[in-house]
Amino acid sequence: MAKLDNLIEQAQQKPHSLAKDDLLYLLQLEDKGELDRLFKGAYALKSRYSGNSVYLRGLIEMGNVCAKDCFYCGIRKSNTKPKRYQLSLEEILNTARETFEKQYGSLVLQSGEIESEKHTLFIAQAIEAISSLTQGKLGLTLSLGEQEENVYKLWREAGAHRYLLRIETSNPNLYAQLHPASHSFSRRLECLRTLRRLNYQTGSGVMIGLPGQTRQDLADDILFFQNEDLDMIGMGPYIPHRDTPLGQNIEFTESFKQTQLLMGLKMIACTRLQLHDVNIAATTALQALHPQGREKGIKAGANVIMPNVTETRFRADYQLYENKPCLDENAQQCRNCLTMRLAAIGEKISYGVPGDPLHYKNRNSGQAT
C-alpha cells in the first residue's frame, strides 16, 4: 500500500518519473481499493491540467475504402461484407457546419488509408473549405494513415493542425503478427516522426489487450509515447471483429469485456501519471465494453471525448470492431447525452474550445515536460 501511494505521489510531482518496473507494478494492480487510488491519483492530474472540463472532438468517418489489410480491422480491404462508401465534399461540409453550430470545438476527419493524388487533393480541398466555413475557429484533426511527407505538408498548409496516427503497438514483432508482410512498422514510425517535424499536434496510440501482448509491451508503449514526445494519446481496448483473421476465434464474453476494460483504464491512468500535460481520449471502445465506459475513462485521467457525428446511415459500414455503440444516435442526441453523462460525474464540456494539448504549447515554447 505504501509503495502504491509513494509511486502515485512521485508521479504527480514530476512527469516521466516512473521507471518501467514502476509502470509494470501499476499495470498489474487488481485490488479494487488499490485501483481506486490509482484512478483517483491520475484524475487529480487530469484536473490539474484540464480542470473539470472535457474537450469534444466531432468524428466524421468520411469513407471506409482502405488499401490496408490489417488482421484486426473490420474495414480491411479483404473484408467483402461492408458496403464501401466515400462522403462527398458537400456531405462533409454539411456535417462540419452542423458540428460547428453545435459548438463542438474540434473536428476529426477519419477514413480508411488511401494513398493517391486524387485522394490527397480531395482532402486538401475539404480542409480548406472547412477552414473557410468556420473562419479557422474549428480545430481540425486528421486520421488518414500513412502518407508521404509532401502530402502531410500539403494538408498542414491547407489548414489541418492535428494528426492522429496510431502505432497500434510499439513492439515491432507484435506489429508484424497483426499485419501482412507488406505493412511496415518502420514506415509507420517514420510517418509519425515526420508529422511531428512538420509541427502537427501529433498523436498516436495502441490497442490494449491484444492476443500475445504482455504487460511489458504495454509499459513499453507508455515509454514510447514519452520518448516520441507526443501531444495526444488515442488508445483503446482491443475488441474483436468476427470478419477478421484476428477476431474469428475470440469470444466476446463478460469476462473478456471486464478484462479489456480494466486494462484500458489502467493504461489511461498510467499514461496520465507519466506524461501529465498530453491530451488523452476516452475512446468509444470503452463504452462498447461498459455503458459508462467513457465516463470511467475520464475518471481515470482522460480529458477528450470523440463522439461520432457522421450521418447515421453510414455508420454500420464503418465498424473497425463489433458492438460499436451509438450507431443510430445523431450529433444533437449525442451532444445532449454526453452533457448529461459528464454532469453526473462532475464534469462539463468545453463548448467551442479547440482544446489544443498543453504539451504542444509547452514544447513549442521550450517548456515541454
Side-chain angles (χ1 to χ4, degrees):
M1 185 177 296
K3 179 178 180 179
L4 172 59
D5 293 336
N6 289 339
L7 284 178
I8 292 173
E9 182 179 359
Q10 171 185 320
Q12 288 176 328
Q13 290 177 354
K14 184 180 180 181
H16 305 174
S17 64
L18 298 176
K20 181 175 178 178
D21 285 347
D22 299 328
L23 293 169
L24 286 170
Y25 172 80
L26 297 177
L27 289 171
Q28 61 82 36
L29 294 176
E30 297 289 342
D31 177 78
K32 184 181 184 305
E34 293 179 333
L35 288 168
D36 286 345
R37 292 207 300 283
L38 173 66
F39 298 149
K40 183 178 180 181
Y43 181 70
L45 263 183
K46 176 267 177 196
S47 299
R48 180 190 302 176
Y49 291 104
S50 301
N52 66 333
S53 296
V54 174
Y55 300 131
L56 208 57
R57 311 268 191 260
L59 174 63
I60 301 181
E61 295 165 338
M62 296 186 300
N64 65 353
V65 178
C66 191
K68 294 286 190 177
D69 218 8
C70 307
F71 297 152
Y72 49 83
C73 182
I75 65 168
R76 64 194 303 262
K77 70 175 182 180
S78 293
N79 186 5
T80 60
K81 293 187 178 180
K83 180 182 178 182
R84 302 293 173 170
Y85 74 91
Q86 170 64 54
L87 299 186
S88 67
L89 180 59
E90 182 181 6
E91 288 169 327
I92 294 169
L93 287 179
N94 286 341
T95 304
R97 181 183 296 106
E98 182 182 6
T99 303
F100 184 59
E101 290 172 351
K102 288 180 170 55
Q103 292 187 291
Y104 283 67
S106 188
L107 193 66
V108 181
L109 300 182
Q110 183 180 74
S111 77
E113 296 196 27
I114 304 171
E115 292 186 73
S116 73
E117 183 177 0
K118 180 180 179 181
H119 180 70
T120 296
L121 295 177
F122 175 77
I123 296 299
Q125 185 181 10
I127 294 168
E128 290 172 350
I130 292 170
S131 297
S132 176
L133 175 71
T134 63
Q135 299 179 322
K137 296 178 181 178
L138 189 67
L140 190 55
T141 305
L142 304 181
S143 182
L144 303 172
E146 298 169 13
Q147 305 289 338
E148 295 298 323
E149 180 171 350
N150 65 305
V151 175
Y152 289 142
K153 185 176 181 181
L154 175 66
W155 292 345
R156 183 77 175 90
E157 292 171 347
H161 60 282
R162 298 192 190 111
Y163 206 104
L164 177 63
L165 180 66
R166 294 195 1 165
I167 197 75
E168 303 303 1
T169 174
S170 62
N171 180 337
N173 293 326
L174 181 57
Y175 187 94
Q177 296 174 35
L178 303 174
H179 301 88
S182 58
H183 294 34
S184 169
F185 176 86
S186 61
R187 189 196 179 204
R188 202 160 188 88
L189 179 57
E190 181 54 37
C191 284
L192 192 60
R193 292 172 176 172
T194 297
L195 289 163
R196 193 181 181 287
R197 188 170 64 251
L198 293 173
N199 203 31
Y200 277 92
Q201 297 172 26
T202 307
S204 192
V206 297
M207 287 184 289
I208 301 160
L210 286 162
Q213 188 181 57
T214 66
R215 287 190 178 91
Q216 285 80 4
D217 291 326
L218 293 172
D220 285 335
D221 289 338
I222 296 173
L223 295 175
F224 172 86
F225 303 153
Q226 173 185 321
N227 294 334
E228 295 299 320
D229 202 18
L230 298 174
D231 306 303
M232 311 179 299
I233 311 299
M235 57 185 172
Y238 165 67
I239 298 176
H241 193 298
R242 74 186 73 184
D243 297 324
T244 64
L246 197 65
Q248 288 178 347
N249 299 315
I250 299 177
E251 294 294 328
F252 197 63
T253 63
E254 285 301 317
S255 175
F256 175 84
K257 289 194 288 184
Q258 291 173 13
T259 298
Q260 299 297 87
L261 175 66
L262 180 58
M263 189 56 75
L265 296 176
K266 286 193 282 189
M267 279 291 287
I268 289 174
C270 290
T271 300
R272 175 61 69 196
L273 288 170
Q274 186 73 344
L275 301 188
H276 281 215
D277 58 358
V278 298
N279 279 356
I280 302 176
T283 60
T284 306
L286 294 170
Q287 191 177 345
L289 298 171
H290 190 284
Q292 285 82 47
R294 285 186 293 189
E295 295 95 305
K296 287 179 179 291
I298 298 297
K299 295 297 285 187
N303 66 329
V304 172
I305 288 182
M306 299 192 297
N308 196 340
V309 295
T310 313
E311 286 188 52
T312 54
R313 61 194 173 105
F314 295 109
R315 295 189 196 179
D317 290 310
Y318 200 102
Q319 295 195 63
L320 310 185
Y321 55 86
E322 291 187 279
N323 298 286
K324 185 177 178 181
C326 303
L327 293 181
D328 59 353
E329 191 175 75
N330 65 36
Q332 182 61 51
Q333 290 171 321
C334 187
R335 181 185 187 276
N336 295 342
C337 177
L338 281 173
T339 299
M340 292 186 293
R341 282 173 171 267
L342 290 170
I345 61 170
E347 292 280 320
K348 62 183 180 182
I349 294 172
S350 292
Y351 286 115
V353 177
D356 292 337
L358 183 59
H359 183 81
Y360 176 80
K361 299 176 183 177
N362 286 339
R363 72 175 171 85
N364 274 277
S365 63
Q367 301 174 25
T369 55

